[in-house]
Structures are given as C-alpha cells and as structure tokens.
Amino acid sequence: AALLWSEGIDINTTYAESFRDKTRAKTLQIANNEKLNTVSARLHRVALKTFYGKPLLWQHQASSFLPLHAHLEIDYQQTAHLLAHETVIVVENWESFNQIDDMALDFSPAGDNPLIIWRGEQEGVRADNALALLKKLHKPVWACVDYDPSGLIIAQSLPCFVGMIKPDLTELREILINNKGLYSRYLKQLNHSQSLLDAATHPDIVQVWQIIREFGKALPQEFFILHE
C-alpha cells in the first residue's frame, strides 16, 4: 500500500485495469508514474514524405514542402482523410525511405507525385499502422522493398498493391551474377515464403521471384542508394 501511495495511486478507486489503453497524459490523472500505462507513446503513428521538391498534398488546405531527407510523422486515424495523393509508394527499410531521392531506381510507374510511406517496424512507428493507413487511403500502392523472399511477401500482401519499384530485370540479373547479394539471407527466408511465392500471380512478383530463385540470393534495397 505504501508503494502504491508513493506512486500517487488511490487503492480505493484505481485498479490494474485502470491503466489499460490510457495514454501517458491520462495515466497521470490517476497516478504519478506516466509509464504505468499500456499504450505506446507513439500510438497510430506513420512516417511519410514526398520526393524532394514535390508538394505534400492535403484536402481543402495548402500543400506543404519538406526539406531533403526529411519526413512527417502523423497519427493516421486523425489525419488519413486529409491526404490528397492519388498513388502511394511503401518503402520497406528506413535508410531507403530517408534517402529515397538518392536511389537509382525508376519510380515513375507510381506517378508524378506519390505519397511515400515507411513500412515501419515492431515498435514506435509500427508496420501495422502503415497497413491501416493504406486501407484508409485505398489508393494504388507500389512496393519498394528488398529483392528477397521476405520483401516479395511484404509487397504482395500490401493493401491495394499494384506493382513493384524494381530495377530493369536485366540489370538485376547482372548485379546478382557479379557477386552481389546474400546466399545466407535467401536461404533463411526460403522456408516461410517459397510456397507463397511459387503460387504468386502478379507479374512483378513472378518475374523478380524467378530471378532471385535462379541465383539463390537476396539483394537489399539499400544497394541502389547512390553515394557521392
């Protein structure tokens, strides 16, 4: 009881379930320790951007521009309805998302000014938040992912998926021939993905899967980031 008192908790009115689904601010209304809550401090957050020099488009308000290698983090539940882009690119890895303007890939299939979304991770800016945003937007989605079994699974599982951002297939084949790519990563990912990819029907998935299966290698998307 003394410990609960020191935490500012009234044992007569506050129970373990009292902290369920509360933000840190709301937790401080019933306790002194904001970390007793069960909700992530970055609940519903998604990281997004546009290509440098392209406007971030909003419904019924002025567009905005971001600096190079900058992004905006939003609460998708509160903001999704305000986004006004007609197409979307989802980027698997953070470095590629952050430096997408430096990538030697053809992004033109996704249109002149796509919204670019980071897929996210397990904590903080979470992958399930990005998926939820895509469902709300319901716009055509292009996947910019690793060229490996897991990347292809991510791509074809995206809501509203219409295609992959990928190098020319001849170029991809030459890259893998020239001692680039990882055998070990390909083999590690194979068991949980091979049957799904063998059954794939989307042309982009089928074509890329055929090449990486032929060489038995995984190629990280960061390979295409240009450096000075």
Side-chain angles (χ1 to χ4, degrees):
L3 177 59
L4 293 175
W5 180 85
S6 69
E7 294 280 3
I9 297 173
D10 184 342
I11 61 174
N12 296 313
T13 59
T14 307
Y15 309 94
E17 57 268 24
S18 301
F19 300 99
R20 186 173 301 140
D21 299 329
K22 279 189 168 52
T23 65
R24 290 189 175 190
K26 290 181 179 178
T27 298
L28 287 174
Q29 296 175 4
I30 57 174
N32 293 337
N33 186 350
E34 82 284 6
K35 295 182 180 180
L36 294 174
N37 71 324
T38 61
V39 172
S40 169
R42 298 170 76 187
L43 184 68
H44 303 148
R45 308 302 287 185
V46 177
L48 50 82
K49 65 191 307 179
T50 56
F51 287 112
Y52 180 62
K54 294 291 186 179
L56 192 57
L57 302 176
W58 303 98
Q59 299 281 3
H60 312 303
Q61 55 186 294
S63 57
S64 52
F65 291 83
L66 296 173
L68 183 64
H69 299 157
H71 70 279
L72 181 67
E73 188 178 303
I74 66 165
D75 181 324
Y76 78 85
Q77 288 197 341
Q78 297 182 11
T79 315
H81 68 286
L82 297 176
L83 292 164
H85 292 261
E86 292 302 317
T87 58
V88 180
I89 295 174
V90 174
V91 184
E92 179 179 355
N93 299 325
W94 171 257
E95 185 174 342
S96 297
F97 171 76
N98 187 50
Q99 296 185 242
I100 194 165
D101 292 282
D102 305 322
M103 295 188 77
L105 291 170
D106 179 12
F107 293 98
S108 63
D112 181 62
N113 186 19
L115 181 68
I116 303 168
I117 297 174
W118 179 40
R119 176 177 175 262
E121 51 195 355
Q122 292 184 343
E123 300 295 334
V125 179
R126 293 162 48 112
D128 55 353
N129 292 341
L131 294 176
L133 174 59
L134 295 178
K135 291 176 182 177
K136 282 182 172 290
L137 294 176
H138 201 66
K139 299 293 185 180
V141 172
W142 274 260
C144 181
V145 295
D146 289 330
Y147 303 96
D148 59 22
S150 291
L152 297 182
I153 294 296
I154 289 170
Q156 70 174 10
S157 65
L158 293 173
C160 305
F161 170 69
V162 295
M164 286 185 64
I165 300 298
K166 62 187 187 301
D168 178 82
L169 296 178
T170 300
E171 178 188 2
L172 180 59
R173 184 180 294 275
E174 289 177 353
I175 291 168
L176 295 175
I177 287 174
N178 291 323
N179 202 31
K180 300 296 182 181
L182 297 163
Y183 292 109
S184 58
R185 185 174 300 174
Y186 171 84
L187 292 173
K188 183 178 180 180
Q189 298 176 359
L190 198 58
N191 285 341
H192 70 268
S193 58
Q194 183 171 8
S195 60
L196 292 173
L197 293 175
D198 285 344
T201 58
H202 191 285
D204 287 356
I205 302 294
V206 171
Q207 291 169 353
V208 175
W209 171 231
Q210 182 179 6
I211 293 173
I212 63 175
R213 182 177 56 184
E214 175 185 345
F215 290 93
K217 291 181 181 181
L219 184 68
Q221 64 179 158
E222 290 87 349
F223 176 86
F224 295 97
I225 297 177
L226 298 175
H227 300 280
E228 294 182 359

